[in-house]
Amino acid sequence: MNKYLRKGIREIIIGVVLVIGGYYLMEQRSNWYKLAMLIGVIVFSAGFLTLIYRMIRKVDRDALIEMREEGHKKDKEGNAE
């Protein structure tokens, strides 16, 4: 697991816990539920975006590796002639 995957999962879990805590505070008639839910949604969103970024990086990295391998094959074929 790379750092973006760990960070994304951690932020998603923290966001869900904060939203659940917000619902609990709402049932207890506390005014702090708004802040807990707001922060929970923001943290969850950041975690989700981090996971999406990780997937995009993975695809981009695989494409770069493939392009480099094709370049090396062409270089070897050009040197052989």
Side-chain angles (χ1 to χ4, degrees):
M1 288 190 353
N2 69 6
K3 66 181 178 180
Y4 296 109
L5 180 61
R6 285 192 305 265
K7 183 179 178 184
I9 291 172
R10 182 177 54 235
E11 289 175 350
I12 286 175
I13 291 170
I14 292 169
V16 168
V17 168
L18 283 171
V19 170
I20 291 171
Y23 277 114
Y24 174 76
L25 290 173
M26 188 187 326
E27 290 176 2
Q28 300 299 318
R29 306 262 185 225
S30 173
N31 286 332
W32 289 100
Y33 79 93
K34 296 175 187 175
L35 182 62
M37 286 187 162
L38 176 67
I39 293 172
V41 168
I42 291 171
V43 171
F44 180 87
S45 301
F48 183 76
L49 290 175
T50 303
L51 286 180
I52 297 296
Y53 176 70
R54 186 248 184 205
M55 287 184 230
I56 291 171
R57 269 186 59 140
K58 175 86 170 152
V59 170
D60 190 40
R61 181 179 181 274
D62 291 343
L64 282 173
I65 290 172
E66 185 178 320
M67 287 174 44
R68 288 178 184 162
E69 287 175 357
E70 289 175 5
H72 288 300
K73 287 179 185 176
K74 288 179 182 177
D75 288 343
K76 288 181 181 178
E77 290 173 1
N79 291 337
E81 294 175 4

